[in-house]
Amino acid sequence: MALVIKSKLFQEIIGGLQANPASISPKFFYDELGSTLFQAITHLEEYYPTRVERGIMQSNLSQITQAIALVDVIVELGAGNCEKVRPLLDTISPKQYQALDISVEFLESALADLHDDYPAIDMQAIAADITQELSFPDLQDQKILFFYPGSSIGNFTPPEASCLFSNLARECHGRGGLLIGVDLVKDIHILERAYNDTLGVTAAFNLNALRHLNHLIGSNFSISDWEHYAFFNQSLNRIEMHLRAKSDQLVSWPGGCHLFRAGEMIHTENSYKYSKATFQKILHEAGFTQVTAWTDPESNFLVCFAGFK
Ligand SMILES: C[S@@+](CC[C@H](N)C(=O)[O-])C[C@H]1O[C@@H](n2cnc3c(N)ncnc32)[C@H](O)[C@@H]1O
């Protein structure tokens, strides 16, 4: 079974590298180093989303918890360092907290720290790829709050986001709901600055995907021969991150190789930005019947609770 999964992963990665244009899924940013680099990004002055989302949660916590009411379980998607769930654990006190992430070693260590602070809550770290269909048969009788902060929903195309929301609405069985943070469309300079920080941490995070791939598939990407490139694509309302070859690069892996020409790019991430109205509409159309939204004074970021009447 493990071999089948490994070979599926291998095929997915090779398929992306050989596609035209080439791509690497953003999920491959995250090994232990990638998760640590992301955590460093959240401390950067240029990277406003973490700071602004935390501010919205703090300023509106009582309204947010009132909208959610009581739930049995919080299931966090892409939980990372599990820091954002703390105010919810304090106020909602669920019986159980399930943290899902693809970067499972990093998650397990974060969850151990969290459990020390909340010993009465049953906690589980679950290795999962949330781009796949999600199913929670063990939680069928429980009232679930899905928690998806960090605007990672921007990595999905809008139709993929709709599919994920329909999947989650179905798994709620008409109770509980989804608390989600999403980045809003704004001034292009603010957006592009957030993904091109002066310390180069986002560049290192992007380049780490190549290091991770070398480890996963045995490829020989020479990391210093690639550079970070990020810009806002205005027609598609998304930040795009790419890795650009500085010179011709023949990259090999067991059983194959690919020549990337100087200047050729590998597309590593999309981060879609939404308007408040569009995002609320997508949630409604996915099957949630009540959507409440909170934003910061500059309308940079949105936190939504999507539940049921
Ligand atoms: C942008 S970080 C956000 C972390 C945290 N939720 C926050 O708001 O600070 C994205 C998180 O999702 C995880 N992740 C990325 N792609 C994933 C996937 N396909 N399945 C599960 N987890 C994923 C990463 O490992 C990382 O912890």
Side-chain angles (χ1 to χ4, degrees):
M1 184 66 178
L3 263 181
V4 176
I5 292 169
K6 266 202 140 162
S7 115
K8 247 183 99 179
L9 199 75
F10 191 88
Q11 293 311 324
E12 180 185 346
I13 294 170
I14 303 303
L17 293 179
Q18 290 181 324
N20 186 16
S23 65
I24 299 173
S25 161
K27 67 189 176 193
F28 297 115
F29 289 141
Y30 298 97
D31 55 359
E32 241 181 313
L33 178 58
S35 296
T36 307
L37 286 168
F38 177 73
Q39 202 168 332
I41 288 173
T42 66
H43 293 286
L44 296 171
E45 191 266 318
E46 294 97 328
Y47 193 78
Y48 60 87
T50 307
R51 204 169 46 243
V52 177
E53 184 180 46
R54 195 182 303 124
I56 297 172
M57 291 280 292
Q58 273 167 0
S59 314
N60 300 283
L61 190 60
S62 66
Q63 274 189 41
I64 292 172
T65 48
Q66 219 176 324
I68 296 167
L70 291 177
V71 293
D72 302 306
V73 193
I74 296 180
V75 177
E76 182 168 357
L77 310 182
N81 65 9
C82 303
E83 278 302 309
K84 287 185 182 159
V85 78
R86 284 176 182 269
L88 298 176
L89 298 182
D90 290 331
T91 48
I92 297 177
S93 302
K95 288 187 282 214
Q96 209 186 341
Y97 169 59
Q98 291 194 353
L100 274 56
D101 207 291
I102 202 152
S103 181
V104 75
E105 286 86 9
F106 186 86
L107 176 70
E108 279 167 351
S109 137
L111 199 77
D113 291 345
L114 188 72
H115 197 237
D116 285 346
D117 294 339
Y118 299 89
I121 301 177
D122 175 26
M123 295 191 179
Q124 284 168 277
I126 299 171
D129 180 351
I130 59 168
T131 60
Q132 308 299 309
E133 170 106 14
L134 298 173
S135 165
F136 302 87
D138 298 349
L139 302 180
Q140 252 194 54
D141 304 324
Q142 310 285 320
K143 194 168 170 189
I144 308 173
L145 172 69
F146 289 106
F147 182 41
Y148 195 18
S151 197
S152 300
I153 191 63
N155 295 161
F156 292 72
T157 63
E160 288 166 351
S162 296
C163 263
L164 174 67
F165 295 157
S166 303
N167 182 175
L168 297 180
R170 238 183 359 260
E171 292 295 313
C172 280
H173 302 286
R175 50 188 192 265
L178 165 68
L179 182 66
I180 183 164
V182 67
D183 201 9
L184 296 175
V185 173
K186 63 182 67 61
D187 180 273
I188 185 167
H189 300 105
I190 300 175
L191 285 168
E192 291 194 338
R193 211 172 148 257
Y195 293 81
N196 288 287
D197 64 276
T198 46
L199 282 179
V201 186
T202 311
F205 172 71
N206 194 7
L207 287 161
N208 183 56
L210 301 182
R211 203 190 122 274
H212 191 198
L213 253 54
N214 283 348
H215 174 73
L216 283 175
I217 62 163
S219 51
N220 64 345
F221 277 102
S222 167
I223 293 153
S224 58
D225 291 317
W226 294 80
E227 63 191 358
H228 168 72
Y229 175 54
F231 69 98
F232 186 58
N233 181 330
Q234 281 182 294
S235 56
L236 293 172
N237 279 338
R238 67 188 195 196
I239 285 281
E240 292 185 14
M241 294 218 305
H242 300 260
L243 290 165
R244 183 163 50 201
K246 292 186 197 168
S247 54
D248 286 358
Q249 295 294 312
L250 180 66
V251 179
S252 348
W253 52 84
C257 63
H258 187 82
L259 176 65
F260 293 93
R261 291 290 182 193
E264 201 177 328
M265 298 209 276
I266 304 179
H267 191 166
T268 51
E269 186 182 60
N270 290 320
S271 182
Y272 282 84
K273 311 299 171 185
Y274 284 89
S275 73
K276 182 178 170 187
T278 306
F279 198 70
Q280 286 184 298
K281 184 164 175 267
I282 295 178
L283 287 165
H284 271 294
E285 286 172 356
F288 294 104
T289 51
Q290 185 146 37
V291 179
T292 317
W294 298 268
T295 186
D296 55 296
E298 282 82 35
S299 292
N300 277 326
F301 200 92
L302 190 73
V303 171
C304 285
F305 175 66
F308 303 90
K309 278 184 188 145

